[in-house]
Amino acid sequence: MFSTKNLIPAMAAPTDGFRPADLLARAFSNPHLTAGLAGGLLLITLLTVIALLGDPRASTPVVRLSLAKVQGVAAPPGWREALTAAPREPVVVEDIFRLSETPLEPGGAFGGQATITMAGGRAFHAADPLAQAPLAGFHVQGSGGLLPIIAANGKTPAEAYARPFVPNGRPKVGMVVGGLGLNAQATRQAIDGLPPEITLSFVPYAEGLQGWIDLARAAGHEVLLETPMEPVDYPDNDPGPYTLMATAQGTETVKKLEWVLSRATGYFGVTNYLGSRFLGSDTGMNAFTGALRGRGLAFIDDGQAARRGGGIPRASAVRIIDEQLSGEAIDQQLLQVEAFALQNGQALGSGFAYPVTLSQVASWAESVESRGYQLAPASALTSRR
C-alpha cells in the first residue's frame, strides 16, 4: 500500500536544529518527487504555450488551387509524381529555341496537321497511303483506255487525286520530281526515299505505268502525268510520237493529249515535258488548257508557262533545281526556292530523277521545316487562273 511516509520520510518528525534548506535538499534527493515536479512543470509550460499561440494540433488554414488546369492550360504529365519525388540537387540545363518570324495558325505544327478529316469523316494521317486508282465516278472509257472526267457532283479529278493538305501558316515549299517510270532503280528510289509531300511525275511512255503510279500513291505521293511538248530545237530534240505540236490543229492536239491521259489513272494533273515552242503558241495552249478544263485536271509547269492561265488549277516552278548536276549547285537552287517562298508565301521547285537530284532533295526535305517552312504537295500550291 502506497504511503506518504515512504515518499518523504524525513518530514515525519522534525528534530531540534531544523533548517528549511535541509528539508528541500532531502526532498529533491528523492527520485519520485523529482519526476513528479518535472512533469508538473512541463504541463504548466504546454498550457501557457497553447494559451498564447493556439492548439498546435489544429489544422493550419490552407488555400487549395487545382494544378490540373490553370487558365485553361493542362498541367504537364507527371506533375503529381514530381510533388513527392525525392529531393535532389538542382540541375542547370541549357536549352535553345528557334523562333519563326511567321507564327503558326491555331493548331498548326511542322508539316501541317498530323490528322486531316476527309469527306465522310474518315481521318487521313500524314503517313497514310492515298486511295488506289481509279476512283469511282471520275473516269469514262475512251478508245485507248480510261479518261478522266468531272464527277456528277462537280468534284474534279484534280481534287480527288490530290494529296490532302492543311496549311499551318508558314511559307509553303513544294517539289516536283519528274522523268519517272523509265528507270526502275531511280523510280523506286524516288517513291521510297522521298517524303510523301514530294509530288512525282511519270513519263507516259513507261512500261507498267499504272503499277508505278499505284506504288507511288501507296507511299502517299500524289502524281502528275508528263505531256511531251514541242521544243524550239525539234526535231533534233524529239519528245516522241505523241508530242503536242505548236502549229497543229486543235483536234490533233486534243487527240494526242487524250492518248497520254488514257495511259493510266490516279493523277491529279499533267506537267510539261520540254515544250519551249508549244508553250508559246496561243493556238496550241488554248486547245490544251480547254481539254484539261473539260476533264477537271490541273496543269503544273516547270516555269516556262508561268504567264499562262486557262481557267484551270495552275502552278509554275520558280526554279529547275538541277540544270547543273552537282550537289552544291542543287543546294543553291533549293535555297532560292526557300527565299522565293519567304517573300511570296509559297514556291515550287522542279527537278529530274537524277541520282544526285534525288539525294539532295531527300536531304533538303528532311530539314526544310526546321527552318520555318511547310513542305507541301504541288497541288496545294495551285490556284485557278
Side-chain angles (χ1 to χ4, degrees):
M1 182 175 179
F2 180 78
S3 173
T4 57
K5 293 171 67 176
N6 296 328
L7 178 61
I8 315 178
M11 296 179 64
T15 60
D16 293 339
F18 168 76
R19 292 181 302 174
D22 294 335
L23 179 61
L24 289 175
R26 292 175 181 177
F28 282 105
S29 67
N30 189 308
H32 298 286
L33 180 59
T34 302
L37 291 175
L41 181 61
L42 177 61
L43 179 61
I44 293 172
T45 303
L46 289 175
L47 291 175
T48 303
V49 171
I50 291 173
L52 294 175
L53 302 179
D55 189 351
R57 294 173 300 174
S59 299
T60 302
V62 177
V63 178
R64 301 184 183 275
L65 295 177
S66 173
L67 296 180
K69 197 169 186 181
V70 180
Q71 295 183 349
V73 180
W79 65 271
R80 293 183 185 277
E81 293 78 359
L83 294 178
T84 58
R88 61 180 183 178
E89 293 296 322
V91 178
V92 178
V93 178
E94 180 180 355
D95 207 345
I96 299 175
F97 297 87
R98 181 184 297 274
L99 302 180
S100 171
E101 295 180 357
T102 306
L104 294 174
E105 292 180 349
F110 284 119
Q113 292 182 206
T115 304
I116 300 172
T117 302
M118 305 288 289
R122 182 179 71 85
F124 178 83
H125 301 271
D128 283 354
L130 302 184
Q132 185 173 356
L135 298 177
F138 292 95
H139 297 85
V140 66
Q141 184 65 47
S143 58
L146 294 179
L147 288 171
I149 60 170
I150 300 173
N153 62 1
K155 189 172 184 178
T156 66
E159 297 169 318
Y161 288 116
R163 177 180 170 82
F165 177 78
V166 173
N168 64 12
R170 298 185 174 216
K172 299 186 290 291
V173 289
M175 186 64 55
V176 175
V177 173
L180 297 171
L182 296 179
N183 183 296
Q185 181 178 352
T187 302
R188 196 71 198 223
Q189 182 180 349
I191 292 173
D192 297 338
L194 297 177
E197 291 82 6
I198 301 295
T199 301
L200 303 183
S201 175
F202 287 83
V203 178
Y205 303 123
E207 293 185 7
L209 178 59
Q210 188 63 60
W212 285 124
I213 290 178
D214 290 344
L215 285 175
R217 289 183 58 80
H221 299 279
E222 67 179 16
V223 170
L224 291 168
L225 203 55
E226 295 179 7
T227 303
M229 298 178 178
E230 182 184 7
V232 292
D233 55 351
Y234 182 88
D236 293 335
N237 190 3
D238 187 353
Y242 290 91
T243 298
L244 306 188
M245 305 299 292
T247 57
Q249 295 293 320
T251 53
E252 182 182 353
T253 297
V254 172
K255 183 179 179 179
K256 288 184 175 180
L257 176 62
E258 288 185 348
W259 180 89
V260 172
L261 299 179
S262 68
R263 294 286 290 144
T265 63
Y267 48 87
F268 78 94
V270 301
T271 186
N272 63 298
Y273 174 64
L274 301 180
S276 52
R277 177 172 290 166
F278 179 84
L279 293 170
S281 167
D282 291 338
T283 301
M285 284 298 294
N286 287 340
F288 171 73
T289 56
L292 295 181
R293 185 169 58 252
R295 298 198 174 278
L297 296 172
F299 176 45
I300 313 293
D301 72 275
D302 61 4
Q304 297 184 75
R307 297 184 180 182
R308 291 284 184 179
I312 56 178
R314 290 278 292 109
S316 299
V318 298
R319 285 289 188 277
I320 298 177
I321 64 169
D322 51 6
E323 289 183 327
Q324 298 182 41
L325 289 179
S326 75
E328 183 178 354
I330 291 173
D331 287 345
Q332 288 299 317
Q333 292 301 316
L334 290 170
L335 289 177
Q336 291 299 317
V337 172
E338 292 182 20
F340 191 95
L342 190 60
Q343 295 176 358
N344 299 276
Q346 66 177 48
L348 179 66
S350 176
F352 191 81
Y354 300 115
V356 65
T357 301
L358 296 177
S359 176
Q360 298 307 115
V361 169
S363 298
W364 168 78
E366 288 182 357
S367 61
V368 68
E369 294 193 339
S370 68
R371 293 190 291 277
Y373 298 89
Q374 183 181 13
L375 190 60
S379 60
L381 306 185
T382 62
S383 60
R384 190 176 294 275
R385 64 176 194 261

